[in-house]
Amino acid sequence: MSSSDPLNTLCSPTWCPGCGNLAIWAAFKKAAEEKKWDNTNSVMVAGIGCHGHIVNFVNLASFEGLHGRAIPVATGIKLANHKLNVFVFTGDGDCLGEGGNHFLHACRRNHDLTIFLHDNAIYGLTTGQTSPVSPHGFLSKSTPAGNPDEPLRPLSVAISAGATFVARAFAGDIPKLAKLMISANDHPGLAVIDILQTCMTFNKDYTLNFYRENTYELGPDYDPTDKAAALQKALEWGEKKIPLGIIYREEKPSFESQIAQIKEKTLTEVSPAGRNLKDLWEKYS
Ligand SMILES: Cc1ncc(C[n+]2csc(CCOP(=O)(O)OP(=O)(O)O)c2C)c(N)n1
Ligand code: SF4
């Protein structure tokens, strides 16, 4: 890595060689350089998992929450200072397993967050267990006889819950992913990108070749504003049937734009001077 790059930290990535997180990291830095996302305007929030290590390799203000709790931390930060770009880096286990309830309600409320779902269809950090998006029959440490569950299609959940920018990307195409990250962040409201990434070490089904052979780009004749068609697209999965690109897009007021108390100023700009919190403190302590 180049030491002249202000987004680099002093420590280098510790992900396994060939891990898809390396490509997501490179795409995010490319987008950040182009859009000048820095410590004056942006913050990263991550969950616990291999994906969450990204906060250690980008020189931006960050917070790594508990497993499954990246989204509630991010909504708190966004409400405290809605002028910040708040980026959420979450895993398929983090976002759809323990954090599933938070994902649903963040989509429903249309919080102005940019969510990057590092989707390797496995629990990487805990050394390879089946996740909510692993395929039926998937062999792993936690399902040695084959996964009995059907996989969740996260983008269909996002659309039906109320997210207003819903897209999928393949981590292997860094320039395209960086461009999509910028579009997602430009969108006012909840933006989520399902980023298909490899876990070279534990997921031997969803390999680079699998993604290369089975994904396709949505063409110019696809209309991402048609919700029923988008829902159908979001449910597509299979041989040569995994769509990439913006699947759904809708203009709708974000949660933050509707809150009267933060219309004029961010909460961080409101001085606490003159407010006596002693009585409140005593009542509840
Ligand atoms: C509250 C809590 N529950 C469970 C764990 C154990 N745990 C840590 S990472 C992880 C799964 C990670 O999978 P994913 O979110 O898909 O991220 P990846 O490692 O694949 O990037 C689990 C279950 C934990 N640390 N804390
Ligand atoms: S275990 Fe998988 S997801 Fe984690 S760093 Fe290694 S390759 Fe990447």
PDB file of all heavy atoms in Angstrom, residues 23 52 61 115 161 179 190 226 231 233 241 255 270 276-277:
ATOM      1  N   ALA A  23     -11.130  -6.746  -1.966  1.00  0.00           N
ATOM      2  CA  ALA A  23     -11.681  -5.998  -3.106  1.00  0.00           C
ATOM      3  C   ALA A  23     -12.686  -4.943  -2.627  1.00  0.00           C
ATOM      4  O   ALA A  23     -12.730  -3.827  -3.162  1.00  0.00           O
ATOM      5  CB  ALA A  23     -12.340  -6.963  -4.083  1.00  0.00           C
ATOM      6  N   GLY A  52     -15.838  -6.866   9.477  1.00  0.00           N
ATOM      7  CA  GLY A  52     -15.696  -5.747  10.409  1.00  0.00           C
ATOM      8  C   GLY A  52     -14.270  -5.242  10.530  1.00  0.00           C
ATOM      9  O   GLY A  52     -14.035  -4.091  10.927  1.00  0.00           O
ATOM     10  N   ALA A  61     -12.925   7.872  10.857  1.00  0.00           N
ATOM     11  CA  ALA A  61     -13.549   7.657  12.161  1.00  0.00           C
ATOM     12  C   ALA A  61     -14.442   6.430  12.061  1.00  0.00           C
ATOM     13  O   ALA A  61     -15.141   6.253  11.058  1.00  0.00           O
ATOM     14  CB  ALA A  61     -14.383   8.871  12.531  1.00  0.00           C
ATOM     15  N   ILE A 115     -25.550   0.975   3.416  1.00  0.00           N
ATOM     16  CA  ILE A 115     -25.190  -0.331   3.987  1.00  0.00           C
ATOM     17  C   ILE A 115     -24.475  -1.186   2.941  1.00  0.00           C
ATOM     18  O   ILE A 115     -25.004  -1.422   1.856  1.00  0.00           O
ATOM     19  CB  ILE A 115     -26.451  -1.074   4.486  1.00  0.00           C
ATOM     20  CG1 ILE A 115     -27.176  -0.251   5.556  1.00  0.00           C
ATOM     21  CG2 ILE A 115     -26.080  -2.454   5.033  1.00  0.00           C
ATOM     22  CD1 ILE A 115     -28.455  -0.889   6.091  1.00  0.00           C
ATOM     23  N   ALA A 161     -39.470  -4.505   2.926  1.00  0.00           N
ATOM     24  CA  ALA A 161     -39.480  -3.774   4.202  1.00  0.00           C
ATOM     25  C   ALA A 161     -39.492  -2.253   3.996  1.00  0.00           C
ATOM     26  O   ALA A 161     -39.862  -1.514   4.897  1.00  0.00           O
ATOM     27  CB  ALA A 161     -38.285  -4.184   5.042  1.00  0.00           C
ATOM     28  N   LYS A 179     -18.224   2.637  -8.132  1.00  0.00           N
ATOM     29  CA  LYS A 179     -19.237   3.527  -8.723  1.00  0.00           C
ATOM     30  C   LYS A 179     -20.599   3.327  -8.038  1.00  0.00           C
ATOM     31  O   LYS A 179     -21.311   4.289  -7.727  1.00  0.00           O
ATOM     32  CB  LYS A 179     -19.345   3.194 -10.224  1.00  0.00           C
ATOM     33  CG  LYS A 179     -19.591   4.398 -11.077  1.00  0.00           C
ATOM     34  CD  LYS A 179     -19.455   4.067 -12.537  1.00  0.00           C
ATOM     35  CE  LYS A 179     -20.567   4.801 -13.258  1.00  0.00           C
ATOM     36  NZ  LYS A 179     -21.100   4.132 -14.385  1.00  0.00           N
ATOM     37  N   LEU A 190     -32.483   4.864   2.792  1.00  0.00           N
ATOM     38  CA  LEU A 190     -31.719   3.644   3.045  1.00  0.00           C
ATOM     39  C   LEU A 190     -31.248   2.981   1.762  1.00  0.00           C
ATOM     40  O   LEU A 190     -32.053   2.568   0.929  1.00  0.00           O
ATOM     41  CB  LEU A 190     -32.511   2.634   3.879  1.00  0.00           C
ATOM     42  CG  LEU A 190     -31.537   1.564   4.395  1.00  0.00           C
ATOM     43  CD1 LEU A 190     -31.650   1.372   5.890  1.00  0.00           C
ATOM     44  CD2 LEU A 190     -31.647   0.267   3.650  1.00  0.00           C
ATOM     45  N   ASP A 226     -39.978  -0.030 -10.881  1.00  0.00           N
ATOM     46  CA  ASP A 226     -41.148  -0.910 -10.852  1.00  0.00           C
ATOM     47  C   ASP A 226     -40.976  -1.909  -9.697  1.00  0.00           C
ATOM     48  O   ASP A 226     -40.201  -2.867  -9.780  1.00  0.00           O
ATOM     49  CB  ASP A 226     -41.237  -1.642 -12.213  1.00  0.00           C
ATOM     50  CG  ASP A 226     -42.415  -2.601 -12.286  1.00  0.00           C
ATOM     51  OD1 ASP A 226     -42.925  -3.006 -11.226  1.00  0.00           O
ATOM     52  OD2 ASP A 226     -42.799  -2.952 -13.406  1.00  0.00           O
ATOM     53  N   LEU A 231     -39.027  -6.835  -7.058  1.00  0.00           N
ATOM     54  CA  LEU A 231     -39.165  -7.923  -6.091  1.00  0.00           C
ATOM     55  C   LEU A 231     -38.880  -9.269  -6.759  1.00  0.00           C
ATOM     56  O   LEU A 231     -38.185 -10.129  -6.204  1.00  0.00           O
ATOM     57  CB  LEU A 231     -40.593  -7.891  -5.531  1.00  0.00           C
ATOM     58  CG  LEU A 231     -40.828  -8.378  -4.113  1.00  0.00           C
ATOM     59  CD1 LEU A 231     -39.778  -7.909  -3.138  1.00  0.00           C
ATOM     60  CD2 LEU A 231     -42.206  -7.925  -3.653  1.00  0.00           C
ATOM     61  N   LYS A 233     -37.007  -9.682  -9.414  1.00  0.00           N
ATOM     62  CA  LYS A 233     -35.561  -9.729  -9.714  1.00  0.00           C
ATOM     63  C   LYS A 233     -34.764 -10.105  -8.472  1.00  0.00           C
ATOM     64  O   LYS A 233     -33.802 -10.863  -8.533  1.00  0.00           O
ATOM     65  CB  LYS A 233     -35.064  -8.344 -10.152  1.00  0.00           C
ATOM     66  CG  LYS A 233     -35.143  -8.074 -11.611  1.00  0.00           C
ATOM     67  CD  LYS A 233     -34.095  -8.820 -12.402  1.00  0.00           C
ATOM     68  CE  LYS A 233     -34.527  -8.843 -13.838  1.00  0.00           C
ATOM     69  NZ  LYS A 233     -34.354 -10.061 -14.568  1.00  0.00           N
ATOM     70  N   LYS A 241     -28.280 -16.791 -13.325  1.00  0.00           N
ATOM     71  CA  LYS A 241     -29.508 -16.055 -13.007  1.00  0.00           C
ATOM     72  C   LYS A 241     -29.352 -15.121 -11.818  1.00  0.00           C
ATOM     73  O   LYS A 241     -30.302 -14.858 -11.103  1.00  0.00           O
ATOM     74  CB  LYS A 241     -30.620 -17.067 -12.709  1.00  0.00           C
ATOM     75  CG  LYS A 241     -31.417 -17.432 -13.955  1.00  0.00           C
ATOM     76  CD  LYS A 241     -32.470 -18.468 -13.677  1.00  0.00           C
ATOM     77  CE  LYS A 241     -33.538 -17.978 -12.704  1.00  0.00           C
ATOM     78  NZ  LYS A 241     -34.524 -19.037 -12.440  1.00  0.00           N
ATOM     79  N   PHE A 255     -36.049   8.993   7.068  1.00  0.00           N
ATOM     80  CA  PHE A 255     -36.469   9.165   8.467  1.00  0.00           C
ATOM     81  C   PHE A 255     -35.940  10.498   9.003  1.00  0.00           C
ATOM     82  O   PHE A 255     -36.684  11.303   9.564  1.00  0.00           O
ATOM     83  CB  PHE A 255     -35.912   7.990   9.296  1.00  0.00           C
ATOM     84  CG  PHE A 255     -36.262   8.052  10.755  1.00  0.00           C
ATOM     85  CD1 PHE A 255     -37.463   7.520  11.209  1.00  0.00           C
ATOM     86  CD2 PHE A 255     -35.396   8.618  11.678  1.00  0.00           C
ATOM     87  CE1 PHE A 255     -37.798   7.569  12.554  1.00  0.00           C
ATOM     88  CE2 PHE A 255     -35.729   8.672  13.027  1.00  0.00           C
ATOM     89  CZ  PHE A 255     -36.917   8.141  13.468  1.00  0.00           C
ATOM     90  N   VAL A 270     -26.428  21.358  19.059  1.00  0.00           N
ATOM     91  CA  VAL A 270     -27.288  21.976  20.078  1.00  0.00           C
ATOM     92  C   VAL A 270     -26.554  21.934  21.406  1.00  0.00           C
ATOM     93  O   VAL A 270     -26.140  20.871  21.861  1.00  0.00           O
ATOM     94  CB  VAL A 270     -28.626  21.201  20.185  1.00  0.00           C
ATOM     95  CG1 VAL A 270     -29.514  21.806  21.265  1.00  0.00           C
ATOM     96  CG2 VAL A 270     -29.334  21.192  18.845  1.00  0.00           C
ATOM     97  N   ASN A 276     -30.944  21.400  32.770  1.00  0.00           N
ATOM     98  CA  ASN A 276     -30.598  20.730  34.017  1.00  0.00           C
ATOM     99  C   ASN A 276     -31.078  19.270  33.966  1.00  0.00           C
ATOM    100  O   ASN A 276     -32.271  19.007  33.994  1.00  0.00           O
ATOM    101  CB  ASN A 276     -31.249  21.481  35.183  1.00  0.00           C
ATOM    102  CG  ASN A 276     -30.797  20.901  36.514  1.00  0.00           C
ATOM    103  OD1 ASN A 276     -30.057  19.911  36.540  1.00  0.00           O
ATOM    104  ND2 ASN A 276     -31.238  21.513  37.606  1.00  0.00           N
ATOM    105  N   LEU A 277     -30.104  18.392  33.854  1.00  0.00           N
ATOM    106  CA  LEU A 277     -30.455  16.979  33.739  1.00  0.00           C
ATOM    107  C   LEU A 277     -30.433  16.264  35.104  1.00  0.00           C
ATOM    108  O   LEU A 277     -30.663  15.075  35.177  1.00  0.00           O
ATOM    109  CB  LEU A 277     -29.486  16.277  32.778  1.00  0.00           C
ATOM    110  CG  LEU A 277     -29.450  16.822  31.351  1.00  0.00           C
ATOM    111  CD1 LEU A 277     -28.431  16.062  30.510  1.00  0.00           C
ATOM    112  CD2 LEU A 277     -30.821  16.717  30.691  1.00  0.00           C
TER     113      LEU A 277
END
